Amino acid sequence: MAERRVVLAGGGTAGHVNPLLALAAELRRRDPGTRLVALGTAEGLESTLVPAAGIDLVTVPRVPLPRRPSADVLRFPGRWRRAVAVAAEAIAADGGADAVVGFGGYVATPAYIAARRAGVPVVVHEQNARPGLANRLGARRAAEVGVTFPGTRLPGATVTGLPLRPAIADLVAAREDDAAAARRAGAEALGLDPSRPVLLVTGGSLGAARVNAAVAGAAAEVLATGAQVLHLTGAGKDEDTRRDLARALGAQAHPDYHVLAYLEQMQHALACADLVVGRAGAGTVCELAALGIPAVYVPLPIGNGEQRLNAAGVVEAGGGLLVADEDLTPAWVVATAVPLLADPGRLAGMGERAAGAGVRDGAARLADLVARAIGEGR
């Protein structure tokens, strides 16, 4: 049987890159001979993460659709043709691709168009509950469409859940095998006590100023529960958070309140977290649900409202709480999150309900769609 060649298209943000890498790992696990190439931008996370995973990266020009009259309107057609040409060349190289899998974003649409012209089957995966423009266009003629959330409106969609990045998939397996051992290992890696509750605060790599200020402002009450706090502020936001802490706790740092701008090995934090306060990006929601970790979700207040929709299923199942960004204050944290943190039984029940709403085999489900698209040759 000839080796399969699959082109993966997606980049710019972790939301596109992480599921791409997760699918790549699953395809290689099933067939180590599968040849993979990724289409991405030169500026996004994929420029480092994709080559680090041993996958060839072909950079496609980033061509945003002009939103208002400007010189970019005149330059757009030429840039667009170049982007499609780069994608077409990558798809046709080395005897041609057997399938193109797109995850949305700037590079996905040129890849979908080039694949359609070449007669190569397309598989679309949409991460968010509310699909973006690229995937709405791509799904119209795709051989297969996978979606993370059941309510996502795309034609012919199959619910696959989110392909979990390898580090999180490994943690899911470790917790299923021995949850206590996984917790100890994560806590010890971070200098935390595995026998005491851990509150994880995170707004993603860029942080969330509202989340940072609200939790730091309630630090005294949070610590009074006996919990430890691991507060990931986001790049450039740690000093503001330390100042908020100083106002809440006094000038002397508290040994149980740990402030970091960023944590590379996020799986350690998730291994020992009892409650998470953070945004509701699809990756965050799906990883926490797969791991059975309850959360207070604070949707990003800008955009098209997809973060609120992302968290809706887990919240409705009882695996988390939802609070609007404007309503998240130190007083809200004291009134709502602190009693939850102090109630291990309630946290455990929420964790079980979160796990019931989670999908742990999203990469395998999406790989099945890829195999089906190739097998049917559509």
Side-chain angles (χ1 to χ4, degrees):
M1 180 178 172
E3 290 181 344
R4 287 179 173 175
R5 184 171 179 271
V6 178
V7 173
L8 309 171
T13 68
H16 297 136
V17 179
N18 284 336
L20 182 155
L21 294 176
L23 175 64
E26 175 64 15
L27 292 175
R28 282 176 164 170
R29 186 194 68 79
R30 294 184 176 198
D31 181 2
T34 298
R35 293 177 295 157
L36 300 173
V37 63
L39 303 180
T41 66
E43 305 86 6
L45 291 175
E46 66 274 18
S47 63
T48 55
L49 295 182
V50 167
I55 301 170
D56 291 335
L57 176 68
V58 175
T59 57
V60 176
R62 183 176 178 272
V63 189
L65 185 68
R67 301 290 183 180
R68 58 181 61 88
S70 69
D72 285 338
V73 174
L74 300 176
R75 289 191 286 264
F76 177 78
R79 291 176 173 176
W80 178 252
R81 284 193 295 270
R82 285 194 293 275
V84 174
V86 171
E89 184 176 352
I91 290 168
D94 298 328
D98 293 288
V100 170
V101 186
F103 295 87
Y106 290 117
V107 303
T109 306
Y112 296 150
I113 290 174
R116 189 176 72 212
R117 291 176 180 173
V120 175
V122 167
V123 178
V124 169
H125 183 271
E126 174 55 50
Q127 182 191 35
N128 287 299
R130 182 169 285 164
L133 177 60
N135 281 349
R136 293 203 306 271
L137 294 173
R140 292 177 182 176
R141 298 190 181 182
E144 300 288 347
V145 177
V147 296
T148 298
F149 301 104
T152 302
R153 294 181 179 178
L154 286 176
T158 298
V159 177
T160 62
L162 185 72
L164 300 175
R165 50 198 168 112
I168 302 303
D170 290 344
L171 178 57
V172 168
R175 285 165 67 98
E176 289 176 349
D177 182 56
D178 190 336
R183 179 183 180 86
R184 283 195 303 272
E188 289 168 4
L190 299 171
L192 302 174
D193 182 350
S195 68
R196 294 169 53 205
V198 174
L199 172 65
L200 172 62
V201 184
T202 175
S205 60
L206 298 179
R210 175 81 68 169
V211 173
N212 290 343
V215 179
E221 292 83 356
V222 170
L223 292 170
T225 67
Q228 306 159 95
V229 181
L230 178 61
H231 193 143
L232 308 179
T233 65
K237 293 183 172 67
D238 50 321
E239 288 306 315
D240 288 342
T241 300
R242 293 181 199 280
R243 283 193 288 270
D244 290 339
L245 279 174
R247 285 192 288 269
L249 299 175
Q252 189 169 357
H254 196 289
D256 286 331
Y257 203 113
H258 306 261
V259 177
L260 297 173
Y262 182 72
L263 179 64
E264 185 76 28
Q265 304 295 325
M266 190 66 175
Q267 66 271 21
H268 295 323
L270 296 177
C272 58
D274 296 280
L275 178 66
V276 175
V277 178
R279 292 298 192 201
T284 297
V285 172
C286 293
E287 289 181 2
L288 295 180
L291 291 163
I293 301 174
V296 173
Y297 292 109
V298 190
L300 193 69
I302 59 176
N304 61 7
E306 74 269 13
Q307 286 205 353
R308 177 175 288 275
L309 294 176
N310 291 344
V314 175
V315 171
E316 288 170 5
L321 303 177
L322 193 68
V323 56
D325 187 83
E326 62 186 14
D327 294 333
L328 184 69
T329 63
W332 189 96
V333 173
V334 171
T336 307
V338 167
L340 177 58
L341 194 59
D343 190 340
R346 187 180 171 200
L347 280 177
M350 288 179 67
E352 290 175 2
R353 290 188 285 275
V359 175
R360 285 163 281 281
D361 61 345
R365 295 187 190 187
L366 184 56
D368 288 343
L369 294 191
V370 175
R372 194 160 74 189
I374 293 174
E376 294 180 2
R378 293 187 295 163

